Amino acid sequence: MKKNNVYIETYGCQMNVADTELVKGILKNNGYEMTNEADNADVILLNTCSVRDNAEQRIYGRLGNFKNLKLGKPGLVVGILGCMAERLRKDLIEEKKIVDVIVGPDEYRKLPELIDVAFNGEKGIGVRLSRTETYDDIIPYREDGLQAWISVMRGCDKFCTFCVVPFTRGRERSRSLDSVVEEVKQLSERGFKEITLLGQNVNSYQDNQNDFADLLAACAIVDRKMRIRFTTSHPQDLSDKLLYAIAENPNICNYIHLPVQSGSNRILKLMNRTYTIEHYLNLIQKAKQIIPGVSFSTDIISGFPTETYEDHVMTLDVMREVKYDGAYMFKYSPREGTKAYKMEDDVTEEIKTKRLQEIIDLQQQISFEKNQSLIDQEEIVLIEGLSKKSDKFMSGRTDTNKVVIIPADEKIEEGGYVKVKINRATSATLFGVPVSLVNETDNKLALTA
Ligand code: 5AD
Ligand code: SF4
């Protein structure tokens, strides 16, 4: 068996992080070793993102760096995985001579074979999309830790007009409930304390009679001391059943990532988001009633084609109304092949930047106020380890995903749950003192297991 060293860099969303673990699993099964240093590698792979132009520009920059490495090491194989492989296959072959391997998200099984092709001096290319590939039977390679991502479905059928994902990741398909639950069991046995179920639109998960609420509930009963998170939800598809599943299972985190994208119905329509702001706000209201203490995060795009100042103000209004705990905020970036690409990108760069800054500033103010309101409250914190800044402090998270810093104490273990009284807060971090070690994963009073 050959023993080649592979170095992988991962860009973009958590789905790519999970895919990189999958790729490592496939390569390890084929006799490859992983290395954390590009200089030691025989194979360098970049798992790429196409969602915005700046993500792609970073990859081109990285390829430039590896060009020099390759000059000194002619046998070195350089590969592009993920969304850019799918989107730019021809351009990459023709323009980027340095790239030897190009493999899209549905062809990772072929990667060992395609790397061999490249070792023999040809281009290894696999970019077909599949309607069925879920990698259900492949065990991803994960280092030991507390937190793991599990991809439960692949692809997206939503076709938001700005988004390249339906083209680079293909049609929606789900893994079987049994295989996901089995993976959760294995992670629990290895001591993981938090898993995040991943999909571009988890609400359309379907396995025979089981929907996403069934999957979440089935994962949650595996180990009540494990926190279960999930992302991403689409506002059109998030069901009442799912809200009740979150409310009824103490270890499913009270946290929903629910991208709004814009506060203007006119823009939402142009984006093909298929909901109105009224529907979105009703959903938020309903979630708050069913799940006491629930918090939300969102994605927002500023400067979509034709966006006026009034549309922008509507987005700010929605932010003020929902009071998100966190937001991922972007400038609109035209992507070739999408419907929006045919619309004129008529909001100037200057205005996009200005509006984005207003959105960022408002979110920071909201986060600060929300965190201030937690002072003197008690929160259950999953301890992740010593704080990065000082070993006199430990750091962990609430079930609503807020970072909490407490003084280090030898009685407090990494991976343990601690009740903490909050005494100080910034917009990004809570500070507090430990009250007691607990068994619960969140602030709901009793475990129902
Ligand atoms: N321009 C800017 N942001 C985008 N997103 C997706 N496509 C684009 C684009 N073309 C954002 C959306 C999505 C998140 C993952 O990325 O907000 O929810
Ligand atoms: Fe892209 Fe919309 Fe699908 Fe999300 S739901 S991946 S934004 S097309």
Side-chain angles (χ1 to χ4, degrees):
M1 213 188 268
K2 54 185 179 310
K3 286 257 184 248
N4 289 307
N5 282 331
V6 183
Y7 169 81
I8 311 187
E9 275 179 17
T10 308
Y11 295 83
C13 63
Q14 278 100 7
M15 199 64 145
N16 266 5
V17 177
D19 275 2
T20 290
E21 293 176 341
L22 194 74
V23 163
K24 286 183 178 172
I26 293 170
L27 292 175
K28 284 211 148 228
N29 286 342
N30 283 272
Y32 285 90
E33 293 292 327
M34 298 301 135
T35 170
N36 290 325
E37 284 167 45
D39 289 344
N40 288 340
D42 307 299
V43 181
I44 293 179
L45 300 173
L46 301 181
N47 193 2
T48 62
C49 170
S50 283
V51 89
R52 282 169 292 276
D53 185 55
N54 52 11
E56 292 195 344
Q57 294 311 324
R58 277 176 72 200
I59 301 293
Y60 286 133
R62 258 334 244 160
L63 283 177
N65 301 150
F66 294 137
K67 212 172 186 169
N68 295 335
L69 210 59
K70 202 166 168 160
L71 283 175
K73 198 174 182 181
L76 180 69
V77 164
V78 176
I80 296 280
L81 311 180
C83 289
M84 269 175 87
E86 207 57 58
R87 198 179 90 73
L88 296 167
R89 33 189 138 170
K90 251 185 44 218
D91 303 3
L92 285 171
I93 303 166
E94 286 163 13
E95 289 170 26
K96 301 284 159 191
K97 300 256 180 318
I98 177 186
V99 178
D100 309 295
V101 172
I102 300 172
V103 186
D106 288 347
E107 297 249 66
Y108 294 146
R109 278 176 206 274
K110 283 201 194 145
L111 195 53
E113 198 186 306
L114 294 170
I115 292 175
D116 278 346
V117 169
F119 276 135
N120 288 326
E122 286 170 49
K123 302 272 180 197
I125 298 164
V127 287
R128 222 169 288 162
L129 288 172
S130 159
R131 286 187 174 264
T132 53
E133 179 63 275
T134 59
Y135 303 105
D136 223 2
D137 56 317
I138 292 178
I139 301 172
Y141 173 77
R142 295 186 178 96
E143 308 274 344
D144 283 336
L146 294 178
Q147 206 278 333
W149 310 100
I150 301 184
S151 118
V152 303
M153 59 173 303
R154 304 182 69 84
C156 183
D157 289 353
K158 284 286 166 194
F159 288 95
C160 302
T161 56
F162 51 79
C163 185
V164 80
V165 167
F167 305 97
T168 59
R169 288 190 164 268
R171 299 289 60 75
E172 280 173 0
R173 66 224 103 112
S174 302
R175 283 177 62 182
S176 72
L177 179 138
D178 289 346
S179 80
V180 175
V181 169
E182 182 53 37
E183 204 170 326
V184 176
K185 277 188 189 146
Q186 288 175 11
L187 291 167
S188 154
E189 280 158 17
R190 280 178 63 187
F192 280 82
K193 284 291 184 295
E194 182 178 302
I195 58 158
T196 307
L197 305 184
L198 289 178
Q200 241 74 42
N201 173 19
V202 286
N203 311 104
S204 35
Y205 175 88
Q206 198 70 45
D207 170 38
N208 297 322
Q209 301 308 312
N210 298 306
D211 61 16
F212 187 64
D214 299 323
L215 177 72
L216 259 189
C219 291
I221 55 169
V222 168
D223 177 352
R224 287 297 192 194
K225 289 195 74 175
M226 224 182 181
R227 280 181 172 171
I228 312 288
R229 302 186 185 278
F230 60 96
T231 194
T232 293
S233 293
H234 192 290
Q236 193 202 357
D237 301 336
L238 191 136
S239 66
D240 290 7
K241 186 176 164 189
L242 177 58
L243 297 177
Y244 283 107
I246 301 170
E248 285 160 9
N249 288 275
N251 56 329
I252 301 181
C253 292
N254 294 335
Y255 183 87
I256 306 176
H257 182 60
L258 198 63
V260 67
Q261 313 294 3
S262 166
S264 153
N265 281 334
R266 190 182 66 81
I267 295 290
L268 287 174
K269 199 155 191 206
L270 287 175
M271 288 176 161
N272 190 32
R273 285 293 288 179
T274 67
Y275 53 83
T276 59
I277 258 329
E278 291 73 23
H279 170 87
Y280 183 93
L281 293 173
N282 270 333
L283 189 57
I284 296 268
Q285 251 350 83
K286 194 157 60 177
K288 284 181 177 170
Q289 274 161 14
I290 296 175
I291 313 165
V294 67
S295 65
F296 300 93
S297 60
T298 199
D299 292 346
I300 294 172
I301 297 177
S302 88
F304 187 81
T306 77
E307 186 189 75
T308 61
Y309 181 71
E310 285 70 29
D311 294 319
H312 166 64
V313 169
M314 289 180 202
T315 300
L316 298 175
D317 286 344
V318 169
M319 292 173 71
R320 277 189 204 101
E321 179 150 357
V322 179
K323 295 195 173 62
Y324 295 105
D325 273 76
Y328 301 89
M329 301 156 283
F330 314 103
K331 274 190 257 184
Y332 169 66
S333 168
R335 310 311 291 140
E336 203 176 346
T338 61
K339 262 198 169 160
Y341 192 74
K342 298 197 192 90
M343 304 173 195
E344 193 190 342
D345 182 19
D346 58 354
V347 180
T348 63
E349 185 60 25
E350 195 189 337
I351 291 182
K352 276 184 195 168
T353 306
K354 187 163 179 282
R355 289 181 188 167
L356 179 65
Q357 195 55 51
E358 285 178 24
I359 289 170
I360 292 170
D361 290 346
L362 176 58
Q363 183 53 44
Q364 196 169 355
Q365 185 194 329
I366 292 170
S367 297
F368 180 75
E369 283 164 11
K370 289 205 84 170
N371 286 353
Q372 288 293 312
S373 74
L374 292 174
I375 291 177
D376 291 336
Q377 308 257 15
E378 289 180 347
E379 288 284 333
I380 308 270
V381 176
L382 170 58
I383 300 297
E384 293 172 356
L386 288 177
S387 146
K388 281 189 200 100
K389 288 190 187 145
S390 155
D391 58 10
K392 293 203 175 69
F393 292 91
M394 298 183 101
S395 145
R397 273 171 208 272
T398 65
D399 85 319
T400 53
N401 216 15
K402 291 175 188 290
V403 174
V404 183
I405 304 290
I406 58 169
D409 179 330
E410 55 201 33
K411 288 195 284 305
I412 298 175
E413 285 176 15
E414 200 175 301
Y417 292 97
V418 180
K419 188 184 279 182
V420 173
K421 186 161 186 181
I422 306 301
N423 56 23
R424 187 161 77 84
T426 66
S427 64
T429 314
L430 302 173
F431 299 84
V433 286
V435 177
S436 56
L437 305 180
V438 291
N439 276 319
E440 294 88 356
T441 60
D442 76 351
N443 288 356
K444 288 169 199 154
L445 283 178
L447 282 182
T448 52

